[in-house]
Amino acid sequence: MATKKSKITKESIVSMFMNYTLEHNEKPKSVYNFAKSNDFTEAEFYTFFGNLESIDKVIYDMFFERTMELLQKDANYETYDMKSKLLSFYFTFFELLTANRSYVLMSLHQNKNQLKNLAQLSSLRTNFKLFIAEITTDEILIDQEKLQELQEKAIQESAWIQFLLTLKFWIEDGSAAFEKTDIYIEKSVKLSFDLINIAPINSLIDFGKFIFKEKTQKN
């Protein structure tokens, strides 16, 4: 008796795309070959994606969406302050990245031009900045409305830069269970909030010592 064909979904195509990329050490060359090798049709593919390149961005969007789903399952999450929400996001997101580390490393190093690699994160950048906007509390904002708008944009942009630096650290982290990335997250987030509150010296020194130690150990 013939086995019933599984229904093709957006998630199943993403999973097959990631598996294909890892198994062949390269991304599929065409939708036709990709679909044929995974026993589904081109028409089924185009129901969810316009081309193969669009899958890259969707993968990082799905990491973000899954992170938010997991955070919302925590009954206490909504009671957290901004700093705790950001830390929770980081730890959850990077746990998902670690579970898919082989693919993430391959996808972020596929081009010699780093700007092309980062283009995969453009949609994630938008979602992340919206997340920062949502968790930003009035207590850290300036009272004047025009200055508030500038401050909010500055907070979102600096948070994204911090995220990219954390991603870079995680990529280069060779510690067991990526425990140094956890330390990096804690210290960098603490520093960023101290800077917002204009009380940076101790955290700046602490974070600087950690980075200096990492650099000297690698050299």
Side-chain angles (χ1 to χ4, degrees):
M1 180 182 292
T3 57
K4 186 178 180 180
K5 182 181 175 182
S6 300
K7 182 180 178 181
I8 297 299
T9 64
K10 178 180 177 180
E11 290 74 18
S12 65
I13 290 177
V14 166
S15 179
M16 287 184 280
F17 179 86
M18 293 173 71
N19 288 336
Y20 182 101
T21 301
L22 290 170
E23 290 172 4
H24 295 81
N25 206 31
E26 64 177 5
K27 294 184 177 179
K29 300 293 186 184
S30 71
V31 173
Y32 171 80
N33 285 327
F34 174 56
K36 185 177 180 180
S37 65
N38 287 282
D39 195 28
F40 65 93
T41 67
E42 286 188 80
E44 288 175 308
F45 177 90
Y46 289 120
T47 300
F48 304 100
F49 300 100
N51 52 47
L52 288 168
E53 290 71 28
S54 63
I55 300 181
D56 288 320
K57 293 180 181 179
V58 169
I59 289 172
Y60 290 96
D61 285 345
M62 289 174 70
F63 288 151
F64 178 86
E65 291 165 5
R66 181 57 180 158
T67 297
M68 297 310 298
E69 287 174 6
L70 291 170
L71 292 179
Q72 294 298 332
K73 286 183 178 180
D74 181 352
N76 297 316
Y77 175 74
E78 293 301 330
T79 67
Y80 292 169
D81 60 16
M82 183 181 177
K83 180 180 176 182
S84 297
K85 285 181 177 178
L86 185 56
L87 282 170
S88 296
F89 175 89
Y90 266 115
F91 289 131
T92 305
F93 187 87
F94 277 89
E95 186 176 338
L96 290 176
L97 286 194
T98 298
N100 296 277
R101 184 174 172 86
S102 294
Y103 176 82
V104 172
L105 294 183
M106 185 179 292
S107 71
L108 293 178
H109 289 98
Q110 62 182 313
N111 293 302
K112 292 182 179 179
N113 185 337
Q114 283 301 311
L115 290 177
K116 288 185 177 180
N117 292 328
L118 290 177
Q120 299 174 75
L121 307 180
S122 60
S123 184
L124 172 63
R125 177 177 179 270
T126 300
N127 287 326
F128 180 77
K129 288 173 66 177
L130 287 172
F131 166 71
I132 295 298
E134 288 174 2
I135 67 173
T136 300
T137 53
D138 291 339
E139 63 217 38
I140 67 170
L141 295 175
I142 300 168
D143 289 336
Q144 299 178 41
E145 187 175 343
K146 288 185 178 180
L147 291 177
Q148 260 193 25
E149 292 177 5
L150 291 173
Q151 187 188 15
E152 287 176 340
K153 289 181 180 178
I155 289 172
Q156 291 166 29
E157 289 297 338
S158 61
W160 175 246
I161 292 171
Q162 181 187 44
F163 175 86
L164 291 179
L165 291 173
T166 306
L167 179 61
K168 183 177 185 297
F169 189 93
W170 173 80
I171 288 172
E172 298 173 353
D173 188 4
S175 63
F178 305 100
E179 57 186 17
K180 288 185 179 179
T181 296
D182 288 344
I183 297 171
Y184 183 99
I185 289 171
E186 290 178 353
K187 291 184 180 295
S188 63
V189 169
K190 183 178 186 301
L191 174 60
S192 67
F193 277 87
D194 282 349
L195 288 169
I196 290 172
N197 294 322
I198 322 175
I201 301 301
N202 289 335
S203 289
L204 184 60
I205 292 172
D206 188 35
F207 185 59
K209 285 180 178 178
F210 174 73
I211 294 300
F212 179 76
K213 183 180 177 181
E214 284 302 300
K215 293 296 182 183
T216 54
Q217 285 180 347
K218 288 179 180 178
N219 294 334

